[in-house]
Amino acid sequence: MSNHTTVTTFLLLGFPSVHHQEYLIAITFLASYAAILVGNLLIIALIFSDRDLYRPMYFFLCNLSSLEIFITTSIIPKAVGSLLMSSKTISYQACMTQCYFYSLLGSIEFILLAVMSYDRYAAICYPLQYPMLMNSRLCLQLLLGSWCAGFLFTIVPTVLVVRLPFCSANHIDHFFCDSMLLIKLSCAETQTVELVSFMTSFIILFGSLIMTAVSYLYIIKTILRLPSTSSRNKAFSTCSSHFTIVILGYGSCIFLYVRPSIQCVSYNKAVALINTLVTPLMSPFIFSLRNQQMKDALKVSLKRSVTISRKCLPF
């Protein structure tokens, strides 16, 4: 922490334009957070409980669901507390910690989405070699690589933000500690920090997006060569869930972070809601309702639960 820092707390303004509806917003946040936890934990439980889902695609999906839980947990509980309580302050240390983990987990998620696109590429373009290409060792290496890359890309801009002095301004017009808004509050020259933050965001987002786009170009090319319509539909269905999450995630984050400056706070909040609340809320439904194997696993799990419940009844 910089010796010049005099600000010890920040004030999260949340949604000042709809101040009279903050309790309703808090309840919506809380209900959505509960649904995110239940939905993503259900996906993780299904994958662990069904041996038919012990495949690379579901291994990465399990980790994606875990990241969704971690990301929302780093943001939503504090946001709900700020909306419900009269005190909307967050300590300097807590704010910097939230900023770091949000950036870290978000970076890992985008790299993981690119890894998942490569997995779909290998499965569709090289189906016979797929078990050898995506063996358990490589899957683990790709996962660890995602975490290491996310850490390396976020540690430098985070350290630069932490070292910035904050002299008097401490009002953050957002519902969480966003790095770009923190930079704007500093009383020092921030051009270098803004440039580094912009470049790292650009590399992570567009680097993983290019890998995803190239994978899907080859996937689409391969699918269009399949002889039957049913085969093409089946192949497209295996990618549709992942592709939907890719569009939501990349679209919102490119709008938010791959820009030199913040222009409209209201739009930024709306897009941030998509990234922190809407996408994690939709992910379990998209991956379960549009995936036949997940639906089959859910049916088996429900039947098993009903059978166990009946056996436990005293009559």
Side-chain angles (χ1 to χ4, degrees), residues 156-157 160-161 164 183 188-199:
V156 173
L160 292 176
V161 172
L164 287 174
I183 292 172
E189 175 58 47
T190 60
Q191 187 175 358
T192 301
V193 184
E194 286 187 67
L195 181 61
V196 171
S197 297
F198 173 80
M199 290 305 298

Side-chain angles (χ1 to χ4, degrees), residues 53-70:
L53 301 181
Y54 285 13
R55 302 177 187 181
M57 173 183 175
Y58 299 104
F59 170 75
F60 294 126
L61 176 57
C62 183
N63 285 279
L64 181 65
S65 294
S66 300
L67 282 171
E68 299 282 26
I69 292 173
F70 295 151

Side-chain angles (χ1 to χ4, degrees), residues 45-55 58 293 297 304:
L46 286 174
I47 293 171
F48 270 100
S49 64
D50 194 324
R51 284 193 166 274
D52 291 336
L53 301 181
Y54 285 13
R55 302 177 187 181
Y58 299 104
Q293 287 180 305
R304 190 184 300 133

Side-chain angles (χ1 to χ4, degrees), residues 33-196:
Y33 178 59
I36 289 167
L37 290 181
V38 171
N40 284 286
L41 286 173
L42 179 60
I43 284 182
I44 295 170
L46 286 174
I47 293 171
F48 270 100
S49 64
D50 194 324
R51 284 193 166 274
D52 291 336
L53 301 181
Y54 285 13
R55 302 177 187 181
M57 173 183 175
Y58 299 104
F59 170 75
F60 294 126
L61 176 57
C62 183
N63 285 279
L64 181 65
S65 294
S66 300
L67 282 171
E68 299 282 26
I69 292 173
F70 295 151
I71 290 171
T72 52
T73 300
S74 69
I75 300 296
I76 302 303
K78 178 59 183 177
V80 171
S82 297
L83 289 167
L84 291 177
M85 295 184 294
S86 57
S87 175
K88 301 182 183 299
T89 59
I90 181 172
S91 68
Y92 177 90
Q93 292 80 3
C95 187
M96 293 300 169
T97 301
Q98 185 184 68
C99 177
Y100 172 68
F101 278 104
Y102 176 72
S103 300
L104 171 66
L105 296 169
S107 299
I108 295 169
E109 182 172 16
F110 283 112
I111 298 169
L112 186 60
L113 285 173
V115 169
M116 292 175 73
S117 70
Y118 173 76
D119 171 67
R120 291 298 82 208
Y121 158 76
I124 293 174
C125 299
Y126 300 97
L128 298 179
Q129 295 91 348
Y130 178 68
M132 291 182 292
L133 288 173
M134 296 300 294
N135 55 64
S136 57
R137 181 179 179 181
L138 179 60
C139 290
L140 186 59
Q141 288 174 342
L142 288 171
L143 179 64
L144 292 176
S146 300
W147 278 83
C148 291
F151 172 79
L152 291 174
F153 274 107
T154 54
I155 190 64
V156 173
T158 302
V159 169
L160 292 176
V161 172
V162 170
R163 290 174 61 85
L164 287 174
F166 297 92
C167 304
S168 57
N170 69 338
H171 287 57
I172 301 175
D173 193 2
H174 216 312
F175 57 92
F176 68 94
C177 290
D178 180 81
S179 60
M180 296 306 293
L181 292 178
L182 282 171
I183 292 172
K184 295 295 181 183
L185 289 179
S186 176
C187 54
E189 175 58 47
T190 60
Q191 187 175 358
T192 301
V193 184
E194 286 187 67
L195 181 61
V196 171

